[in-house]
Amino acid sequence: MKTLDAVIAESPVFAGLTQEQLEFIVGCAQNVHFDAGQTIAKAGDNADVFYLIRMGEVALDLDVPNKKSVRIDTVEAGQVLGWSWLIPPHEWKYDVTATELVRAIAFDGECLRGKCDSDPVLGYALLTRFSQVLVGRLQATRFRLLDIYGTDTH
Amino acid sequence: MAQTLTETAGTLEAMMPVPYAVTAKRQDTYDTWTLELEPVDGAPIVPGPGQFNMLYAFGVGEVPISNAGNFETDERLVHTIRAVGAVTKALCAAEIGTIVGVRGPFGNTWPIKEAKGKDVVIVAGGIGLPPLRPAIYHVLKNREDYGRFVLLYGARTPSDLVFLDEVKSWQSNYDVDLDITVDAGDTDWKGKVGLVTKLIPPAQFDADDARAFIVGPEIMMKFVAQELMNRDLPAAAINVSMERTMRCGVGLCGHCQIGPTLVCRDGACYTWDEVENLIAVKEL
Ligand SMILES: Cc1cc2nc3c(=O)[nH]c(=O)nc-3n(C[C@H](O)[C@H](O)[C@H](O)COP(=O)(O)OP(=O)(O)OC[C@H]3O[C@@H](n4cnc5c(N)ncnc54)[C@H](O)[C@@H]3O)c2cc1C
Ligand code: FES
């Protein structure tokens, strides 16, 4: 099994960081797992953590008043879960549940934010990378508004 | 150029609807039905994967509908139709025993035989799956002739996924890498949520030696083609099926023209490099 350092260094979201920056990030990381059906976070919870999913799948659900909750996205192995740790008010926006056994690396957002404040170079590097995660989510939402399956008949 | 008498006779024949009876009918989603058709007289027509027929709801009108049958084992015509307007609503309302007119088969075929020895990537959006079904059955029947077989299927909601049990049986009975996602799930949906494009980066295929086949709305095909090209699959290795309003189906009326091409005659199957610039979708 790969070490934490190796998995983090190989993840596209941390690609291009210096050895020193990676070492610091590894210092804020730990392996975690969630059983199928386990709640990882509830909407409104304090978001002082983000995850790199190594195995399994996580669902993001939104409660719609008077309706069943809507599953708006799933995050699979290799993807990053969570950006709210970086942007105030640091709150989860959705209910987050493991749909199957999930193995992930959890990053302590508070520890990373502190480091970003004192090391603007690392701060900029992480902001750039997480902006990409955010832009990806934004694009997916826009595509969904376009209803890409509904415009033609087949 | 003037037509010969034989050509004229052929064209006239192609314009004459042949009566077919609806012999089976199934509701797939709230607005989509699958009809099976058999000729009232004589032998059925034999379409190829990717071809379409003009279906005539008598007294209402005629529309192009892709062939969705399993030509490897079955001669019945199978058409999956979404009720969107007068003609498709009339066809979807046809009961068993109703007679409809059939002209065809028209258009070219998917170059599925040319993909022999290569990995095959099929990407379907919504009711884009049925037009790919004949090509899928060809690969399944000749599974050992092809490399990896990746089937990626996306729809708006779980209830918009058609032929789902059959699709899952392909995964369990053949060596098919199946991945499914919906735009919006509900709490009963156990699978992935998100656009079909998200299934492409993790898909296992050799971009140097693969062919992709996409059917769905044009905007979906555009995003999927872009994502496949991000995986270094050349545009010429990506096949799509185009939809345009049709009247004659045989290259006479010009209704189905896009740029220099007539979809009924030169398509409906094209490679992405042939149509990329003809699909006008403004950037988001
Ligand atoms: C080669 C080809 C294969 C096709 N295969 C299938 C199939 O397998 N199953 C199926 O359900 N449909 C298929 N279609 C689309 C089908 O032909 C149209 O839905 C049909 O012509 C609509 O006719 P209508 O009289 O019911 O509706 P209309 O009254 O003509 O149209 C109703 C609404 O649908 C829109 N519309 C009509 N045709 C199209 C189209 N081609 N693309 C986008 N929007 C359209 C119209 O703008 C209008 O808003 C195919 C089309 C082509 C060209
Ligand atoms: S439908 Fe008449 S030319 Fe294509």
Side-chain angles (χ1 to χ4, degrees):
Chain A
M1 194 155 149
K2 279 185 188 164
T3 61
L4 209 59
D5 321 31
V7 178
I8 292 173
E10 282 169 21
S11 161
V13 77
F14 298 120
L17 293 184
T18 65
Q19 190 56 34
E20 195 190 342
Q21 289 169 331
L22 281 172
E23 273 165 23
F24 185 82
I25 288 168
V26 172
C28 296
Q30 59 170 327
N31 279 311
V32 291
H33 79 269
F34 301 98
D35 294 327
Q38 191 176 339
T39 299
I40 299 174
K42 297 289 270 177
D45 280 359
N46 195 18
D48 261 340
V49 64
F50 70 94
Y51 301 95
L52 177 61
I53 307 296
R54 300 182 65 183
M55 191 191 105
E57 183 192 82
V58 167
L60 308 186
D61 296 325
L62 186 64
D63 255 341
V64 183
N66 304 324
K67 283 195 179 159
K68 275 183 164 183
S69 78
V70 180
R71 182 145 299 173
I72 57 134
D73 210 349
T74 50
V75 180
E76 289 86 24
Q79 295 185 308
V80 168
L81 167 69
W83 45 263
S84 304
W85 68 277
L86 194 57
I87 297 163
H90 310 301
E91 271 177 13
W92 287 98
K93 300 288 180 279
Y94 310 108
D95 294 339
V96 185
T97 315
T99 60
E100 54 193 29
L101 173 67
V102 167
R103 293 192 192 285
I105 300 174
F107 297 86
D108 179 340
E110 207 174 347
C111 151
L112 277 177
R113 277 202 309 267
K115 179 70 179 163
C116 290
D117 286 344
S118 59
D119 179 354
V121 177
L122 176 66
Y124 178 72
L126 286 183
L127 200 60
T128 318
R129 283 161 176 76
F130 276 83
S131 305
Q132 281 165 15
V133 174
L134 257 173
V135 165
R137 287 278 144 76
L138 180 64
Q139 282 290 54
T141 312
R142 281 170 149 184
F143 288 169
R144 232 177 265 185
L145 288 174
L146 275 177
D147 187 11
I148 66 167
Y149 303 113
T151 41
D152 295 355
T153 32
H154 82 216
Chain B
M1 203 198 292
Q3 272 196 330
T4 64
L5 261 182
T6 325
E7 281 166 351
T8 308
T11 309
L12 280 177
E13 201 184 310
M15 296 303 290
M16 292 294 294
V18 175
Y20 272 64
V22 177
T23 52
K25 182 179 180 183
R26 186 187 73 207
Q27 183 162 9
D28 297 301
T29 73
Y30 71 99
D31 65 353
T32 302
W33 279 260
T34 294
L35 303 183
E36 290 183 10
L37 306 175
E38 290 180 52
V40 172
D41 268 330
I45 55 169
V46 185
Q51 286 193 300
F52 66 92
N53 295 328
M54 297 297 291
L55 299 191
Y56 191 11
F58 288 110
V60 187
E62 202 184 28
V63 287
I65 301 290
S66 302
N67 282 287
N70 172 6
F71 311 141
E72 305 298 323
T73 58
D74 203 335
E75 284 194 322
R76 276 169 303 182
L77 293 184
V78 177
H79 290 288
T80 299
I81 306 166
R82 179 186 279 175
V84 294
V87 183
T88 45
K89 279 181 185 158
L91 289 168
C92 288
E95 298 299 340
I96 290 176
T98 303
I99 306 298
V100 299
V102 175
R103 293 194 293 126
F106 296 130
N108 59 1
T109 57
W110 294 113
I112 193 72
K113 291 184 181 145
E114 292 77 345
K116 252 186 175 177
K118 302 182 188 306
D119 291 351
V120 172
V121 182
I122 294 223
V123 190
I127 67 158
L129 184 85
L132 287 160
R133 206 166 157 257
I136 293 170
Y137 271 109
H138 179 82
V139 178
L140 296 182
K141 174 138 189 267
N142 304 283
R143 190 65 196 87
E144 64 288 352
D145 291 345
Y146 293 87
R148 289 195 193 103
F149 186 13
V150 177
L151 175 56
L152 310 177
Y153 187 19
R156 207 179 330 187
T157 68
S159 54
D160 289 305
L161 293 162
V162 295
F163 292 94
L164 194 55
D165 292 340
E166 193 176 322
V167 170
K168 288 182 177 162
S169 77
W170 296 335
Q171 184 185 31
S172 46
N173 297 339
Y174 303 88
D175 185 15
V176 178
D177 292 347
L178 172 68
D179 216 351
I180 301 178
T181 183
V182 296
D183 254 19
D186 50 40
T187 36
D188 300 331
W189 173 246
K190 301 275 181 282
K192 289 183 182 168
V193 177
L195 292 172
V196 71
T197 43
K198 88 178 209 178
L199 306 179
I200 295 169
Q204 298 285 316
F205 61 88
D206 176 4
D208 289 335
D209 203 19
R211 292 286 180 274
F213 300 85
I214 318 172
V215 180
E218 277 179 18
I219 191 166
M220 170 250 165
M221 295 196 291
K222 180 186 162 89
F223 293 134
V224 168
Q226 274 170 353
E227 204 63 51
L228 287 168
M229 288 190 291
N230 289 345
R231 289 279 311 262
D232 292 331
L233 193 66
I238 300 172
N239 300 275
V240 297
S241 173
M242 299 295 292
E243 272 196 19
R244 282 298 178 273
T245 324
M246 291 186 181
R247 290 283 178 272
C248 69
V250 291
L252 291 178
C253 70
H255 251 88
C256 63
Q257 183 167 1
I258 339 177
T261 179
L262 292 175
V263 176
C264 70
R265 186 193 60 194
D266 310 325
C269 307
Y270 293 91
T271 52
W272 185 243
D273 54 340
E274 290 173 318
V275 289
E276 184 176 9
N277 296 326
L278 304 177
I279 293 183
V281 180
K282 289 198 183 82
E283 286 306 321
L284 282 171

